[in-house]
Amino acid sequence: MAAGVPRIDGLESLGNPLEDAKRAAAYRAVDENLKFDEHKIVGIGSGSTVVYVAERIGQYLHDSEYSELVSKFICIPTGFQSRNLILDNKLQLGSIEQYPRIDIAFDGADEVDEHLQLIKGGGACLFQEKLVSTSAKTFIIVADSRKKSPQYLGKNWRQGVPIEIVPSAYVRVKDDLLEQLHADKVDIRQGGSAKAGPVVTDNSNFIIDADFGEIKDPRALHTDIKLLVGVVETGLFIDNASKAYFGNSDGTVELVTK
Ligand SMILES: O=C(CO)[C@H](O)[C@H](O)COP(=O)(O)O
């Protein structure tokens, strides 16, 4: 390991087992997958785990051996939070319009099954996350071990499949999800104490959380939802990720590959 980049095996605990798990997954994922001389355009996802991905890449920026290459990386965000992560770590920000082909992207997930199908969108960033991840040659998931599904998606993540919709279509989409696709429960995501009324995404849309119980065929469900008028994108990510790193609080990491 180069000087200036902390060794993973010598890291001090952050004092919070869950954060230790997220950091372990993210640092391992960066160290094992980011190829400094090959990757130039890097997608940075959203959520609390990917914070450590940006932090790790930032550490390489301060190392004389890697500094020059890392300073030339263009990082593509998946939303407002992600954009700030890139800037806070002094990485170079680019847009998906300028760089529609991405070498490698890292992101978190809400649930991951054994085939690396995903539920994402717990942070309401699913549209841009899907745009970035499907534009990437390699897409790597970083998560704590709670995100690993025992079998089918929908088993651990009980909040429902996040779906980004055009605001004026919310009644119609809600009805269609219940009547045509037989969702058990459909909610327009609310801002809670932070905002009266619905959550508004970075694309000025609403999010619906639709509970389908255990999802035996995520591809079919994704296709059915996507066909409803008013749906922008679903939080079902199909055949997109190639590896998932699941961190544990003791610093160990489980790697699942396709
Ligand atoms: O899909 C997402 C945001 O829309 C996040 O990647 C997902 O919610 C995981 O977040 P965290 O790393 O905080 O568990």
Side-chain angles (χ1 to χ4, degrees), residues 22 45-50 107-110 119-126 129 142-144 146-147 157 189 237:
K22 292 176 185 181
S46 330
S48 56
T49 314
V50 89
D107 205 347
D110 298 306
I119 294 180
K120 283 184 54 54
C125 302
L126 63 100
E129 290 173 341
V142 291
D144 62 82
R146 298 171 310 166
K147 306 299 184 69
W157 180 255
R189 197 181 294 177
F237 283 48

